[in-house]
């Protein structure tokens, strides 16, 4: 075997040798051992480094982008004999300049493992193979029965942040103008909802104000509850290269754990769980108190500053220390950096979005930029990050219940615009009620008032909180569950109908990352067996349902991804997320392109709000905002009476304590999160041997102090209990404050049904009142060393039963084990 | 002068409202959002009642029976179902509006007396009532389609 870098290969090629005849370029770096690769210190433009991983030399390269985090690195898929044999980063791409992270370099092997190849229908309690006709006809028959008896309100859709925008837009029109159901949401509710909510509260609509290029020039970076070292490794490479360059930015990190990211910080603040608001209020207070605000900017471009000033004034460093545990001196050090830096890029992710007062806290980060006037120019941006590669599109295209094109449910003119575009009666579109968020969707299903749930490309049986409850809902007799997926996931096993779907690499479509960069991903290979692209499945359903417009023509007027993209361009035109200047041709060949892309900005617009006019005008804004404490939706009249007309809205929030606090019975805090080597519930990354081996098992991270107190040694199996359930996982000691425990949420049961290990067995059914994002970041738990002998007996018994009932019975078995 | 009577009306109104929100929270405990927010809104009204006490003294205010009678009438019949929830939220809406109109009335008196402290507090009670109403409206609109056509 030869291991050569591309540079070496190029050198050989220069000498006129035929590389293929004696060299197989396998891997430019070992991304498992060295996650981020070599440093390339820089000032100005971020240098190119092309990361490659190949099993064999490909016959052809097909343009795509990575779908294993929200960074969406430009990537080419290597194809040989109709199979994917590797990937390489696209050096021309603005997002990654050729680099790829460990998930991107290894995750593609999942395309060729354990795939669903035929539709399945549950008959006599068992999933059996069926034809597409049988499966689709059954779904259509069920839809019509329910519509007849209960209206379309009995039907709900739960989709994902991992399809393509063409698929979301098609699903959006089917749900809203075909069926007319308000019950559409996605797993983006679990990862990105607060990003959208906080951006629209402050700026009037979603979309990151800045660009990744702001990391190239900024003087300071603030990460709040965001660990790019693990979650967005390629973005972290950019930051590491800046940090090792001639003019490194200052780095402030807020995270209760000592993460890869926190290790590099100039100032690391480690607050107690659930105390983001007091901490951020404390920082804002110090900055205002020291006079580091931009008074002219505040006066000309914002509203609400006085209320903020009054609210945060109570949060002195001493009081912040009392509530958050962050030493006052450290808070002052962080405030000095954030208050005096001439430019600043801030980011937030799940440590904010999945924690107490999610939207209220995220909004304070926006406020930091607003009171200092650090927005709309180079090196200045707040990134309310996304959690998945196409979460942005789920929201933009209306597949999560929002109105397509960032339109406002409560604005009659916006709804009429859509009705005209789709040529349907305005009251076909359910505009009288706010879209049903995911947790409510499952609540309605539990209550029996949603009777059909169509789940696409997501795995709620592992990813939603309080799993015992979720399994019980999915198994309910009177809930018809359709699961559209590429694998027989934990959720698919509970379905009534399973539709085999094509995935990335097997279909064409576009998606948009966290800095508004749109990429095209071309079809590289055929899907396995009878698996179909999600777009084709939705279109097939629309045809069989015979959805029509006002003039009797088919409602969905497209049949290919490119036609769907053209339809989406029309829908987005004139809105903040304007795609009208893009085309498949334009997106193919070079770099991804940022929205808005239109006549004014044919190559896309790098930064929003460069004129400091925000999208808050009453007739343009995406939302009239919410009460941050209750989530109550601001009525239209009220908003119009004090129309901010383009000013950014500063909203204050005071601290509210978490509802579940550690007590005698459950004395410790649990938080959950991700690992660098896995994505979501590992349906893809768990199928790469390298990624699996790098992080094969769930674990409980605990401090040395707690380990000593509970007499737990490294590797011991520990039983963790909450009011909802229990798991048994091995201990990993260190890197976390006493009293706080951490379990990664990736691990479910498809590859190991023998032991309860999904973190969400423990988490609670509760969510942020504004964004409706569930709280995964705190739950009160107890721990004790597991009685392995008793466990051993249970496991042995379980194994016997598994042999009898095989994979299908895994859920039943877990219930028997009372997990 | 009936200022004491109206302070008593707002005071008793807020107290009964706190009780009503709290009992709806308990009754619909399986609905996490209802449970949490109703408790929060209950605590807001409770806080107002406590703050009004000093004005009860200042103006010889008397607790009034009407708000309790109203609460008793409105919350006697519905069970912990989704149907019951819609009806309970509707009844809370009525109760908050009763407090709100009493606040509006009292505020006229407070202005006439130039009692700045009272003005500030009653204004706050009034604004809080608006926030309670906005939340109730959002929830009622959200839940009712399912209850009316599917349940």
């Amino acid at each position: 075997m030869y291991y050569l870098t591309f540079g070496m290969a190029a050198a050989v090629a220069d000498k006129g040798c035929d590389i293929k005849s004696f060299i197989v370029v396998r891997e430019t770096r070992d991304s498992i051992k060295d996650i981020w690769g070599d440093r390339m210190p820089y000032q100005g433009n971020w240098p190119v480094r092309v990361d490659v991983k190949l099993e064999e030399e490909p016959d052809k390269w097909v343009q795509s982008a990575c779908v294993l985090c929200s960074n969406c690195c430009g990537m080419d898929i290597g194809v040989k004999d109709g199979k994917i044999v590797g990937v390489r980063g696209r050096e021309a791409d603005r997002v990654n300049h050729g680099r790829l992270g460990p998930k991107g370099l290894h995750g593609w092997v999942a395309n060729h493992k354990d795939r669903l190849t035929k539709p399945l229908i549950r008959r006599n309690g068992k999933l059996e193979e069926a034809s597409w006709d049988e499966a689709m006809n059954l779904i259509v028959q069920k839809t019509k029965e329910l519509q007849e008896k209960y209206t379309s309100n009995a039907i709900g859709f739960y989709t994902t942040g991992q399809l393509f925008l063409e698929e979301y837009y098609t699903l959006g029109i089917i749900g809203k103008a075909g069926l007319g159901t308000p019950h559409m949401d996605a797993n983006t509710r679990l990862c990105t909802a607060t990003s959208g909510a906080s951006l629209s509260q402050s700026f009037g609509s979603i979309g990151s104000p800045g660009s990744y290029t702001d990391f190239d020039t900024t003087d300071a970076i603030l990460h709040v509850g965001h660990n790019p070292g693990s979650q967005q490794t390629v973005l972290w490479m950019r930051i590491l290269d800046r940090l090792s360059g001639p003019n490194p930015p200052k780095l402030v990190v807020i995270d209760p754990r000592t993460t890869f990211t926190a290790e590099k910080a100039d100032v690391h603040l480690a607050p107690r769980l659930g105390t983001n608001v007091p901490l951020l209020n404390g920082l804002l207070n110090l900055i205002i108190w020291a006079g580091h605000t931009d008074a002219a900017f505040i006066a000309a471009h914002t509203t609400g500053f006085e209320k903020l000033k009054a609210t945060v004034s109570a949060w002195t460093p001493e009081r912040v220390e009392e509530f958050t545990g962050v030493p006052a001196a450290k808070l002052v050090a962080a405030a000095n950096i954030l208050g005096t830096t001439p430019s600043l890029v801030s980011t937030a992710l799940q440590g904010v979005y999945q924690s107490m007062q999610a939207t209220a806290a995220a909004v304070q980060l926006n406020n930091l930029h607003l009171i200092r006037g650090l927005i709309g120019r180079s090196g200045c941006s707040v990134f309310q990050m996304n959690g998945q590669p196409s979460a942005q599109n789920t929201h933009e295209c209306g597949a999560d219940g929002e109105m397509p094109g960032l339109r406002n449910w409560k604005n009659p003119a916006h709804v009429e615009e859509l009705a005209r575009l789709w040529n349907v009666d305005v009251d076909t579109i359910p505009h009288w009620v706010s879209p049903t968020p995911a947790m409510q969707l499952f609540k309605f299903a539990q209550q029996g008032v949603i009777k059909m749930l169509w789940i696409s490309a997501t795995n709620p049986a592992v990813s939603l909180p309080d799993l015992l409850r979720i399994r019980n809902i999915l198994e309910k007799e009177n809930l018809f569950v359709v699961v559209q997926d590429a694998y027989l996931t934990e959720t698919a096993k509970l379905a009534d109908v399973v539709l085999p779907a094509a995935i990335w690499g097997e279909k064409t479509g576009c998606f948009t990352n966290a800095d508004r960069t749109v990429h095209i991903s071309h079809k590289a290979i055929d899907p396995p067996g009878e698996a179909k692209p999600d777009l084709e499945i939705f279109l097939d359903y629309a045809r069989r349902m015979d959805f029509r417009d006002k003039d009797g023509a088919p409602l969905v007027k497209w049949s290919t991804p490119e036609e769907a993209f053209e339809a989406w361009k029309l829908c987005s035109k004139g809105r903040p997320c304007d795609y009208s200047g893009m085309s498949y041709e334009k997106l193919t060949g070079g770099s991804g392109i940022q929205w808005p892309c239109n006549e004014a900005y044919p190559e896309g617009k790098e930064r929003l709000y460069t004129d400091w006019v925000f999208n808050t005008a009453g007739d343009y804004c995406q939302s009239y905002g919410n009460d941050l404490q209750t989530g109550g939706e601001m009525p239209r009249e009220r908003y119009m009476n004090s129309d901010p007309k383009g000013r950014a809205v500063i909203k204050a929030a005071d601290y509210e304590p978490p509802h579940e606090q550690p007590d005698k019975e459950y004395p410790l805090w649990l938080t959950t999160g991700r690992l660098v080597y896995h994505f979501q519930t590992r349906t893809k990354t768990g199928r790469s041997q390298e990624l699996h081996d790098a992080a094969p098992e769930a674990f409980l991270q605990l401090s040395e102090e707690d380990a000593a107190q509970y007499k737990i040694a490294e590797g011991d199996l520990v039983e963790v209990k909450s009011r909802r359930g229990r798991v048994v996982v091995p201990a990993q000691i260190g890197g976390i404050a006493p009293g706080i425990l951490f379990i990664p949420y990736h691990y479910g049961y498809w590859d190991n049904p023998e032991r309860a290990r999904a973190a969400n067995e423990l988490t609670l059914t509760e969510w942020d009142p504004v964004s409706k994002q569930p709280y995964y970041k705190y739950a009160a738990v107890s721990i004790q060393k597991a009685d392995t002998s008793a466990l051993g007996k249970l496991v042995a018994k379980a194994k016997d039963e598994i042999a009898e009932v095989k994979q299908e019975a895994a859920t039943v078995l877990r219930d028997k084990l009372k997990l | 002068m009936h200022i004491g009577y109206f302070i008593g009306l707002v005071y008793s109104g807020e107290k009964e409202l706190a009780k009503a929100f709290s009992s709806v929270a308990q009754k619909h405990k399986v609905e996490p959002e209802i449970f949490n927010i109703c408790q929060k809104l209950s605590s807001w009204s409770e806080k107002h009642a406590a703050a009004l006490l000093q004005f009860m003294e200042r103006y010889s205010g008397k607790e009034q029976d009407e708000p309790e009678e109203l609460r008793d009438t409105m919350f006697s019949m519905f069970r912990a179902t989704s149907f019951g929830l819609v009806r309970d939220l509707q009844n809370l809406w009525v109760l908050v509006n009763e407090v709100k109109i009493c606040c509006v009335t009292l505020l006229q008196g407070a202005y006439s007396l130039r009692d700045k402290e009272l003005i500030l507090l009653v204004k706050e009670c009034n604004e809080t009532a608006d926030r309670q109403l906005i939340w109730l409206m959002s929830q009622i609109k959200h839940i009712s389609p399912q209850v009316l056509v599917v349940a």
Side-chain angles (χ1 to χ4, degrees), chain A residues 68-85:
Chain A
L68 294 172
C69 86
S70 63
N71 222 43
C72 306
C73 299
M75 165 195 271
D76 289 325
I77 304 172
V79 180
K80 186 183 181 180
D81 302 330
K83 289 190 92 178
I84 300 176
V85 293

Side-chain angles (χ1 to χ4, degrees), chain A residues 150 447-451, chain B residues 82-83 143-151:
Chain A
Y150 305 103
Q447 292 170 336
V449 292
I450 280 182
K451 296 172 190 294
Chain B
S82 52
F83 173 83
I143 303 165
S144 47
Q146 289 316 100
V147 174
L148 268 65
V149 305
V150 188

Side-chain angles (χ1 to χ4, degrees), chain A residues 150-151 153 183 433-434 436-437 440 443-444 447 449 627 629-630 632-633 635 656 659 765-767 772, chain B residues 30-33 36-37 39-41 44 82 130-131 134-135 138-139 141-143 145-147 149-151:
Chain A
Y150 305 103
T151 77
N153 274 43
H183 309 309
V433 56
S434 61
T436 308
Q440 187 69 35
K443 181 90 219 172
F444 281 152
Q447 292 170 336
V449 292
D627 187 316
Q629 271 184 284
T630 67
E633 298 159 19
E656 297 180 68
H659 298 120
T765 302
E766 216 185 281
W767 52 87
K772 316 292 183 191
Chain B
V30 292
E31 301 269 0
E33 189 163 12
N36 288 327
I37 306 289
Q39 278 185 321
K40 192 183 292 185
L41 300 187
W44 291 358
S82 52
D130 282 340
R131 292 175 71 189
I134 285 172
W135 179 78
S138 304
Q139 287 298 322
K141 281 191 172 178
H142 188 62
I143 303 165
Q146 289 316 100
V147 174
V149 305
V150 188

Side-chain angles (χ1 to χ4, degrees), chain A residues 390-568:
Chain A
S390 65
Q392 184 79 23
N393 309 105
T394 315
H395 190 103
E396 290 169 3
C397 299
D400 67 348
E402 293 295 325
M403 282 288 198
L406 313 187
R407 286 179 175 82
N408 188 343
W409 277 98
K410 291 204 161 98
N411 184 337
H414 284 192
V415 182
E416 278 159 22
E417 220 170 65
L418 274 182
R420 266 199 308 279
L421 182 74
W422 293 341
N423 193 30
V424 296
D425 185 85
V426 71
D427 290 336
T428 307
I429 303 170
H431 59 80
W432 49 86
V433 56
S434 61
T436 308
M439 297 300 286
Q440 187 69 35
L441 206 60
F442 280 84
K443 181 90 219 172
F444 281 152
Q446 186 178 23
Q447 292 170 336
V449 292
I450 280 182
K451 296 172 190 294
M452 170 174 160
L453 189 57
W454 188 328
I455 299 168
S456 44
T458 182
N459 191 10
V462 181
S463 57
L464 281 177
D466 194 356
L467 287 180
L468 181 62
R469 171 176 172 266
I470 298 301
R471 283 192 294 268
N472 287 338
I473 294 171
L474 291 171
E475 283 172 335
K476 264 171 67 101
E477 278 295 312
N478 61 354
L479 181 69
F480 183 73
V481 179
V482 179
V483 172
Q484 179 174 323
D485 208 300
Y487 305 92
L488 193 65
T489 61
E490 291 86 339
T491 305
K493 284 178 187 171
L494 304 176
D496 296 292
V497 177
V498 179
L499 304 174
I503 48 174
W504 167 90
E506 299 160 1
K507 57 182 188 177
T508 296
C510 299
F511 54 105
T512 307
N513 82 342
D515 90 331
R516 296 175 282 105
T517 302
V518 184
H519 287 105
I520 191 163
S521 177
H522 285 284
K523 178 180 171 175
I525 58 168
D526 285 326
E530 295 177 27
K532 283 186 193 179
D534 298 86
L535 179 65
E536 275 182 35
I537 299 173
F538 293 141
L539 289 172
D540 186 24
Y541 177 67
R543 263 192 309 273
R544 287 173 199 259
M545 286 297 297
D546 199 27
F547 294 129
R548 299 273 161 179
D549 70 10
K550 257 191 329 201
D551 299 323
L555 172 70
V556 186
K557 296 175 174 58
W558 50 87
S559 53
T560 67
E562 189 163 9
E563 287 166 12
F565 187 81
E566 291 299 316
W568 167 243

Side-chain angles (χ1 to χ4, degrees), chain A residues 803-814:
Chain A
E804 264 173 53
V805 295
K806 302 270 161 101
Q807 285 282 323
E808 287 91 339
T811 1
V812 181
L813 181 65
R814 282 199 304 280

